[in-house]
Structure formats: structure tokens, C-alpha cells
Amino acid sequence: MPKNSGSQAVPENVPDSVALNQSSTPSPATLEREASGAGRLTLPHVLPLITFPMIGCALYVAGMQLADIFTFLAGCGGIGAMVTIAVTGGRRVLVALAHGILAVASSR
């Protein structure tokens, strides 16, 4: 191995095409794309947009009342949002959301 001259040492037998070049500063285009969140639409984002209307239609065809369908789907979405918040570490937001839900439920 060559002596380290302030950068990461790469073995001599590794071709340049295989060695990873690490840039210390990202390009402005990369920073702008990361800040805007562009290109981050993934299956977990799209799946509820497809499945919730399909479930609602299937329940309506099966004879369930429309108000009950909306209540059911809102509950499913709320549970999914709370699980996502809990998993991503937003405990304060989760506690505030749960407190608000309990306050609304106790007023009935």
C-alpha cells in the first residue's frame, strides 16, 4: 500500500475505475435536490393512495354505509400516521396527537 498522504489509502492493485472517489463538498445541484425532497416518492407513499379508495369501493359494494367507510378509513390512516411518527422518533408529536384525540373523545 502507498503511504497515506492525508487521504484514504487505496491498494495499488485496485484499478481506478473500481476505487470510489469521495468528494468533500457536494455539488450545489445535489444540495438543492436534497433540500427540496425531489425524487423521494416511494412505494410507502403511493400505496395508501391506491389501496384506501379500493378498500372504500369494496366496502361500499359489500353494503357498508358511506359514513362508516369514511370513519373506518380515517381510523386506519390515523393509526398509520401515529405508527409512522412513533417509529421516526417523533414522541412529542405522538403524545400531543394522542392527547388531542383523547380530549375530543372524552367530550362526547
Side-chain angles (χ1 to χ4, degrees):
M1 274 198 184
K3 289 187 176 183
N4 192 352
S5 62
S7 63
Q8 244 181 353
V10 178
E12 292 176 2
N13 59 352
V14 176
D16 289 337
S17 62
V18 177
L20 296 175
N21 294 327
Q22 294 181 347
S23 161
S24 61
T25 57
S27 68
T30 303
L31 290 174
E32 183 179 334
R33 185 173 58 243
E34 288 178 2
S36 67
R40 296 183 186 246
L41 187 63
T42 60
L43 185 62
H45 297 105
V46 175
L47 194 61
L49 298 174
I50 296 169
T51 57
F52 274 44
M54 290 175 57
I55 291 170
C57 290
L59 291 173
Y60 184 74
V61 169
M64 190 173 191
Q65 296 294 321
L66 197 57
D68 294 337
I69 293 172
F70 287 132
T71 304
F72 174 72
L73 293 179
C76 290
I79 290 169
M82 286 192 290
V83 167
T84 302
I85 290 169
V87 168
T88 57
R91 291 187 185 116
R92 290 183 184 171
V93 176
L94 183 63
V95 168
L97 184 63
H99 186 280
I101 291 171
L102 291 174
V104 168
S106 66
S107 67
R108 289 185 178 183

